[in-house]
Every structure is written in C-alpha cells, then in structure tokens.
Amino acid sequence: MSVSIKGKSSFAVKKQAKLLAEKQAITNYLKRVSPAAGSQCEQQLIDDRAALIQRISPQGISQVGDSVEASYLVRIDDEKFNYRLEELGCGSQSGAAEVVILIMEEPPTAGDIAMILNDADASGTRELRGLGPFVLYYTSYQRAIRDAIISKANMEGLKLTRLDTVDDFQKMKMSHDDPMVGVYFDTENEDFALNQRLIKEVKRKFAGKSTIILYYRIASLYFDQVQRELKAAIAISMHDLDTGETKSVGEQDFMVMIPEGQPGPAIRDGLSEVASNAASLLMNRAKKEARRMSSIAQKRAQTQNKSADLTTVNLKLSSKRNMYKVMKALSPASVKDSGMQGEELVIHLTSGTSAEDFVFVELLGLIEGMGISIPDQNIQFNDKQVTIRQ
C-alpha cells in the first residue's frame, strides 16, 4: 500500500502516513469483497481497523519534493473482516437486493468414478464392481464436498443456502440421508440422475429473485489399487437464475497416497477428504466469481428499484401537436424524461415528485390553458401509473 503525505519527514508525518495506509487498505479490501457496500459501512470498518488488521509493516519511506512517500505491507484478517461485514449487513449479498446463493450438484459421469483394481481382484467382476462402493457412500461424499464449499465461502463473507434446510423441499428427498443438492444415484438405471422435482421447485420458488446457483461436479473420483492413489477432481460453475448467465470457474484436483493394508473405511474417508480438499481449493477462485455475480445482481436491483420509484404519466389527447406542445412546456424540476410513444405522451416524474400535484396543478393547468378540458373520470391513478385521456 503506497501513500503520499505533504510535509517533511518526521515522526508525526510517518504516523500520519501509516494511518492513511491502514484506512486505504480497508477501503480497497472492501471494494474487492463487497463492491456494493456504502460509505457508512466503509467508515464503520475503518473505525474498526485495529481489530481487522493483523499486521502492518513499513516497506520504504522517502522524501520526494515537498511530500513524504511511504509504502506498507498491510495484512487484513479475512475471517474477521467478512464476519464484521455480515454483522453490518454490508456483504456482497446485501444491499438493493438480498442475493441468495444456492449450492447444488451437477451429475458426474459414472465412468469417472471407479475402483482401479489389481488383476486378481478384477477377474470375473460385474460391471458395477468398481462403482459399487462409491454408490454406497456417495451421499457422504456429497456432504463432505458441500460442507467444504460452505465453510470456505463463510470465511470469505459469502452465505450459501442449503436446500435441505428449507422446509418446502423436505418432501422431495430421494432417501433419508439425501443432502438435497439435486443429484442421486438411480439404482434402477444404475446411473447418477437429477432430482427433477427438486430442480423444478427451485426454479419456481426462486424465479424473479436475485439468485445464483453454485454448481459443483465430481469430475473424477477414484482409488487406484495398483498405484495406491486416492484422487478427486472437482469442477465448479456459477449460474445466475435471473439472467441465465453461467460462468465456469474451472477444475481442481487433489491426491493422496494410501499405504497397503488400509481398511475399507479408511479408503472411504480418504475419498471424502480428497474430494472436499479439491473443492476447498477451487473455492479460492469461485469466491471471486460469486462476488462478481452478486455485485452485478446488486447493480441490476438498484436500477430496477430506481425505475420502480418513478411515476409514469400516460397522456393521450386528440392532437399529437398538442401533446408535443405539452411536452415542451413541462418543468424539468418535476419531469425526469418524456417522449412520444405511439399515440401517447409518456412522462416519467422525478423521484419525490407528487403525482397528484403534478397532474392537477402543472399538467392540467397546461392542458386547460390550451382550451382542452379533461373530465375527472378520464384521470386514473394506479400505484405508480397515471393514465389521462381527453
């Protein structure tokens, strides 16, 4: 963090430079993790900086002309900072809209999940010999991956919603231990499948809201009995339910070696570990995309909210020429914009302008001054919409 202070190098100026560096570091970090946070949130975090900054180390200080230029290495406690953001209601998911991030799964390919057996064990095996243990313990892998993603997200100030904690979805479980991430193993077809009822209900319940779905997928998960390797690869993508935008974050793998003679439960637990570790590592990239999409959703909501605040007046007179004259005579203090749309003059009022005052004082005054009379029954107020007909 580089700062510049006017003055000669002295203890007081150095102290001032250090203080400025601390404040600027807090501001820069806030812009990165929660772009939609306002000035009040920023000031509160600056005031709390003593608890949020782990360490600040001077890197260099020099006199340049009539200014002192200094650089510092500032380390911010991510976890404390993001917890404080949540407490203040200033996280990237708060603001003009409450951005919901759901965690769900995309189905893996059965061929990417297997036991690689030695020759003796592989002889005469059935098709599902290698897949069987994974099917039996698949829900434990799902929970391990889900929990690792949520844990890493929480450390970064992101709140993920688990569908199994939402009452409306409980009846859609495919089994008693279904973690409800949208994927289950279909024993009849011997393949991984999507819970279509759950997916349909998610789209219905969250339609029109600021909702982002974090999808993870087990790209590969296997135990190589020959090489004694446990390995998992996890892929993550983000999908904005409102706009339809999907962004791939990428893929991350993780591998450990396991000694000879380890019992089955150790291998099972090891697979959960490598899968969750791969997911946790990938969240270092996914968190940035989650913040970006949350920020875009916030800006979109801000625009929509501003539009919703505007009152629209639709005026239709028998003469387009008269409507044009009205448009030219409108006061800019009360009118944000206006224009002819088809057979009507459409007027958007500035925020805070009373629709009643505008219509009965300004607009009707102009129209009646042109010798045109508007009957009361032809003036209709409906929430943020006013319709006037000659």
Side-chain angles (χ1 to χ4, degrees), residues 187-203:
T187 54
E188 188 172 324
N189 294 313
E190 295 190 340
D191 202 358
F192 297 98
L194 290 169
N195 185 338
Q196 296 293 351
R197 284 183 62 218
L198 178 63
I199 293 171
K200 184 178 179 180
E201 184 61 17
V202 165
K203 291 180 178 179

mmCIF file of all heavy atoms in Angstrom, residues 187-203:
data_model
loop_
_atom_site.group_PDB
_atom_site.id
_atom_site.type_symbol
_atom_site.label_atom_id
_atom_site.label_comp_id
_atom_site.label_asym_id
_atom_site.label_seq_id
_atom_site.Cartn_x
_atom_site.Cartn_y
_atom_site.Cartn_z
ATOM 1 N N THR A 187 -30.755 -46.441 -8.691
ATOM 2 C CA THR A 187 -30.370 -47.861 -8.666
ATOM 3 C C THR A 187 -31.027 -48.653 -9.785
ATOM 4 O O THR A 187 -30.482 -49.651 -10.244
ATOM 5 C CB THR A 187 -30.760 -48.477 -7.303
ATOM 6 O OG1 THR A 187 -32.153 -48.243 -7.056
ATOM 7 C CG2 THR A 187 -29.934 -47.860 -6.190
ATOM 8 N N GLU A 188 -32.201 -48.199 -10.233
ATOM 9 C CA GLU A 188 -32.895 -48.929 -11.297
ATOM 10 C C GLU A 188 -32.140 -48.823 -12.615
ATOM 11 O O GLU A 188 -31.994 -49.801 -13.343
ATOM 12 C CB GLU A 188 -34.315 -48.364 -11.454
ATOM 13 C CG GLU A 188 -35.175 -49.184 -12.401
ATOM 14 C CD GLU A 188 -36.629 -48.726 -12.381
ATOM 15 O OE1 GLU A 188 -37.119 -48.341 -11.298
ATOM 16 O OE2 GLU A 188 -37.243 -48.743 -13.462
ATOM 17 N N ASN A 189 -31.668 -47.624 -12.923
ATOM 18 C CA ASN A 189 -30.934 -47.411 -14.172
ATOM 19 C C ASN A 189 -29.426 -47.505 -13.985
ATOM 20 O O ASN A 189 -28.661 -47.379 -14.942
ATOM 21 C CB ASN A 189 -31.275 -46.034 -14.756
ATOM 22 C CG ASN A 189 -32.721 -45.934 -15.190
ATOM 23 O OD1 ASN A 189 -33.235 -46.820 -15.863
ATOM 24 N ND2 ASN A 189 -33.381 -44.870 -14.778
ATOM 25 N N GLU A 190 -28.994 -47.720 -12.730
ATOM 26 C CA GLU A 190 -27.578 -47.833 -12.391
ATOM 27 C C GLU A 190 -26.769 -46.669 -12.945
ATOM 28 O O GLU A 190 -25.748 -46.833 -13.628
ATOM 29 C CB GLU A 190 -27.004 -49.172 -12.888
ATOM 30 C CG GLU A 190 -27.625 -50.367 -12.196
ATOM 31 C CD GLU A 190 -26.907 -51.667 -12.506
ATOM 32 O OE1 GLU A 190 -26.182 -51.712 -13.524
ATOM 33 O OE2 GLU A 190 -27.072 -52.619 -11.732
ATOM 34 N N ASP A 191 -27.239 -45.458 -12.630
ATOM 35 C CA ASP A 191 -26.538 -44.260 -13.088
ATOM 36 C C ASP A 191 -26.932 -43.081 -12.194
ATOM 37 O O ASP A 191 -27.960 -43.113 -11.504
ATOM 38 C CB ASP A 191 -26.898 -43.945 -14.544
ATOM 39 C CG ASP A 191 -25.834 -43.080 -15.216
ATOM 40 O OD1 ASP A 191 -24.852 -42.692 -14.544
ATOM 41 O OD2 ASP A 191 -25.982 -42.791 -16.421
ATOM 42 N N PHE A 192 -26.129 -42.032 -12.222
ATOM 43 C CA PHE A 192 -26.437 -40.823 -11.470
ATOM 44 C C PHE A 192 -27.507 -40.029 -12.205
ATOM 45 O O PHE A 192 -27.495 -39.927 -13.436
ATOM 46 C CB PHE A 192 -25.172 -39.982 -11.292
ATOM 47 C CG PHE A 192 -24.113 -40.682 -10.496
ATOM 48 C CD1 PHE A 192 -23.070 -41.349 -11.124
ATOM 49 C CD2 PHE A 192 -24.165 -40.697 -9.111
ATOM 50 C CE1 PHE A 192 -22.104 -42.011 -10.386
ATOM 51 C CE2 PHE A 192 -23.210 -41.354 -8.368
ATOM 52 C CZ PHE A 192 -22.173 -42.021 -9.006
ATOM 53 N N ALA A 193 -28.443 -39.466 -11.438
ATOM 54 C CA ALA A 193 -29.586 -38.784 -12.062
ATOM 55 C C ALA A 193 -29.893 -37.493 -11.316
ATOM 56 O O ALA A 193 -29.466 -37.289 -10.173
ATOM 57 C CB ALA A 193 -30.808 -39.698 -12.052
ATOM 58 N N LEU A 194 -30.658 -36.632 -11.969
ATOM 59 C CA LEU A 194 -31.094 -35.370 -11.374
ATOM 60 C C LEU A 194 -32.448 -35.543 -10.714
ATOM 61 O O LEU A 194 -33.321 -36.244 -11.235
ATOM 62 C CB LEU A 194 -31.200 -34.281 -12.453
ATOM 63 C CG LEU A 194 -29.888 -33.785 -13.058
ATOM 64 C CD1 LEU A 194 -30.169 -32.917 -14.277
ATOM 65 C CD2 LEU A 194 -29.095 -33.007 -12.021
ATOM 66 N N ASN A 195 -32.634 -34.896 -9.585
ATOM 67 C CA ASN A 195 -33.923 -34.859 -8.905
ATOM 68 C C ASN A 195 -34.755 -33.765 -9.586
ATOM 69 O O ASN A 195 -34.706 -32.600 -9.206
ATOM 70 C CB ASN A 195 -33.725 -34.551 -7.416
ATOM 71 C CG ASN A 195 -35.024 -34.610 -6.636
ATOM 72 O OD1 ASN A 195 -36.112 -34.487 -7.190
ATOM 73 N ND2 ASN A 195 -34.914 -34.785 -5.336
ATOM 74 N N GLN A 196 -35.487 -34.147 -10.606
ATOM 75 C CA GLN A 196 -36.191 -33.170 -11.437
ATOM 76 C C GLN A 196 -37.252 -32.397 -10.658
ATOM 77 O O GLN A 196 -37.463 -31.203 -10.899
ATOM 78 C CB GLN A 196 -36.835 -33.875 -12.651
ATOM 79 C CG GLN A 196 -35.849 -34.514 -13.613
ATOM 80 C CD GLN A 196 -34.985 -33.500 -14.352
ATOM 81 O OE1 GLN A 196 -35.220 -32.291 -14.274
ATOM 82 N NE2 GLN A 196 -33.973 -33.976 -15.069
ATOM 83 N N ARG A 197 -37.932 -33.043 -9.717
ATOM 84 C CA ARG A 197 -38.937 -32.342 -8.904
ATOM 85 C C ARG A 197 -38.308 -31.219 -8.110
ATOM 86 O O ARG A 197 -38.834 -30.116 -8.019
ATOM 87 C CB ARG A 197 -39.615 -33.321 -7.945
ATOM 88 C CG ARG A 197 -40.655 -34.244 -8.575
ATOM 89 C CD ARG A 197 -41.305 -35.117 -7.513
ATOM 90 N NE ARG A 197 -42.016 -34.320 -6.519
ATOM 91 C CZ ARG A 197 -42.040 -34.597 -5.222
ATOM 92 N NH1 ARG A 197 -41.363 -35.617 -4.738
ATOM 93 N NH2 ARG A 197 -42.737 -33.839 -4.384
ATOM 94 N N LEU A 198 -37.156 -31.531 -7.527
ATOM 95 C CA LEU A 198 -36.449 -30.535 -6.727
ATOM 96 C C LEU A 198 -35.999 -29.361 -7.595
ATOM 97 O O LEU A 198 -36.183 -28.195 -7.229
ATOM 98 C CB LEU A 198 -35.240 -31.181 -6.049
ATOM 99 C CG LEU A 198 -34.357 -30.258 -5.206
ATOM 100 C CD1 LEU A 198 -35.132 -29.691 -4.024
ATOM 101 C CD2 LEU A 198 -33.107 -30.990 -4.739
ATOM 102 N N ILE A 199 -35.424 -29.658 -8.750
ATOM 103 C CA ILE A 199 -34.927 -28.606 -9.643
ATOM 104 C C ILE A 199 -36.065 -27.715 -10.116
ATOM 105 O O ILE A 199 -35.945 -26.481 -10.145
ATOM 106 C CB ILE A 199 -34.198 -29.236 -10.848
ATOM 107 C CG1 ILE A 199 -32.914 -29.915 -10.359
ATOM 108 C CG2 ILE A 199 -33.880 -28.189 -11.914
ATOM 109 C CD1 ILE A 199 -32.234 -30.750 -11.400
ATOM 110 N N LYS A 200 -37.196 -28.327 -10.459
ATOM 111 C CA LYS A 200 -38.359 -27.554 -10.903
ATOM 112 C C LYS A 200 -38.862 -26.632 -9.800
ATOM 113 O O LYS A 200 -39.213 -25.467 -10.044
ATOM 114 C CB LYS A 200 -39.468 -28.511 -11.353
ATOM 115 C CG LYS A 200 -40.696 -27.814 -11.922
ATOM 116 C CD LYS A 200 -41.728 -28.828 -12.388
ATOM 117 C CE LYS A 200 -42.956 -28.116 -12.942
ATOM 118 N NZ LYS A 200 -43.977 -29.108 -13.410
ATOM 119 N N GLU A 201 -38.893 -27.134 -8.566
ATOM 120 C CA GLU A 201 -39.378 -26.329 -7.440
ATOM 121 C C GLU A 201 -38.400 -25.203 -7.098
ATOM 122 O O GLU A 201 -38.820 -24.101 -6.721
ATOM 123 C CB GLU A 201 -39.591 -27.222 -6.218
ATOM 124 C CG GLU A 201 -40.177 -26.514 -5.006
ATOM 125 C CD GLU A 201 -41.555 -25.912 -5.243
ATOM 126 O OE1 GLU A 201 -42.214 -26.304 -6.228
ATOM 127 O OE2 GLU A 201 -41.962 -25.046 -4.434
ATOM 128 N N VAL A 202 -37.104 -25.458 -7.239
ATOM 129 C CA VAL A 202 -36.104 -24.414 -7.008
ATOM 130 C C VAL A 202 -36.319 -23.262 -7.995
ATOM 131 O O VAL A 202 -36.323 -22.083 -7.611
ATOM 132 C CB VAL A 202 -34.669 -24.979 -7.148
ATOM 133 C CG1 VAL A 202 -33.645 -23.843 -7.267
ATOM 134 C CG2 VAL A 202 -34.328 -25.858 -5.954
ATOM 135 N N LYS A 203 -36.493 -23.607 -9.258
ATOM 136 C CA LYS A 203 -36.700 -22.567 -10.279
ATOM 137 C C LYS A 203 -37.991 -21.800 -10.028
ATOM 138 O O LYS A 203 -38.058 -20.588 -10.243
ATOM 139 C CB LYS A 203 -36.706 -23.202 -11.670
ATOM 140 C CG LYS A 203 -35.341 -23.718 -12.091
ATOM 141 C CD LYS A 203 -35.385 -24.342 -13.478
ATOM 142 C CE LYS A 203 -33.996 -24.814 -13.908
ATOM 143 N NZ LYS A 203 -34.028 -25.453 -15.242
#
